[in-house]
Amino acid sequence: MLVHAPPRVTPPPSLPSAVLFACTHNALRSPMAAGIMRRYHGTRIFVDSVGVRPRETDGFMIAVMDEIGIDVTRHRSRAFEELEDGYFDVVVSLSPEAQHKAVDMTRVMACDVEFWNTFDPSLIEGARAVRLDAYRAVRDQLERHILDRFPVPRMGRV
């Protein structure tokens, strides 16, 4: 009689307890990523965002996040130096400038630094519709990347 071994089940990757998203200005890409991460993981994972040279929150970013039900109107851009808590399991850099800053910041930390080079849609010129489409593309790319890297735990079967 042929006995089959039970199928191998690959355990889901363990989720970090704290993630920092960083970009150049903390006005667009990193707040988008933080908002999406909070949508899927709520308070299960501490999420924050910063920039190398903060500037005013981007209005197009607010608009495209509102389209998917994520309110980022209270976001205030902050610099790395303004972080209240310096402990993160993962720092995700979304721009080359933020990557350099993240590597410097984490030299003495036990922390993973990941570089997700993400296009800056504020560089797109043209009609409002064209610009919004560029922001949507970045938002959707970040959402896919977040769900691939930080999957939502499945509920157990009853």
Side-chain angles (χ1 to χ4, degrees):
M1 171 165 79
L2 184 61
V3 178
H4 294 283
R8 278 192 160 161
V9 178
T10 305
S14 62
L15 292 173
S17 61
V19 175
L20 177 67
F21 290 99
C23 66
T24 305
H25 301 292
N26 192 223
L28 164 52
R29 292 167 287 184
S30 55
M32 255 191 209
I36 292 166
M37 184 78 159
R38 287 184 189 106
R39 161 181 265 178
Y40 288 107
H41 292 285
T43 58
R44 179 178 27 242
I45 299 173
F46 175 78
V47 179
D48 208 349
S49 70
V50 293
V52 178
R53 293 184 322 274
R55 69 177 182 202
E56 187 175 331
T57 303
D58 189 293
F60 285 117
M61 183 272 295
I62 292 171
V64 300
M65 294 300 282
D66 186 57
E67 291 174 353
I68 62 169
I70 298 176
D71 180 8
V72 291
T73 56
R74 290 184 295 226
H75 173 75
R76 298 295 170 254
S77 297
R78 294 181 309 134
F80 277 86
E81 294 76 20
E82 297 175 68
L83 282 172
E84 293 175 16
D85 187 352
Y87 174 79
F88 294 93
D89 298 306
V90 179
V91 176
V92 178
S93 304
L94 303 172
S95 71
E97 202 170 354
Q99 174 69 2
H100 292 295
K101 187 76 170 180
V103 168
D104 284 343
M105 178 186 95
T106 60
R107 286 191 195 285
V108 294
M109 296 170 61
C111 162
D112 292 331
V113 178
E114 299 180 13
F115 182 42
W116 302 356
N117 196 11
T118 305
F119 177 71
D120 180 354
S122 69
L123 300 174
I124 295 295
E125 296 179 358
R128 177 179 172 80
V130 170
R131 294 180 73 194
L132 283 170
D133 282 344
Y135 280 71
R136 289 180 189 114
V138 168
R139 176 199 65 202
D140 296 347
Q141 174 193 8
L142 286 169
E143 184 173 36
R144 284 189 304 274
H145 209 135
I146 287 167
L147 289 173
D148 285 346
R149 174 60 179 85
F150 307 107
V152 178
R154 293 185 176 177
M155 300 300 290
R157 292 188 179 164
V158 178

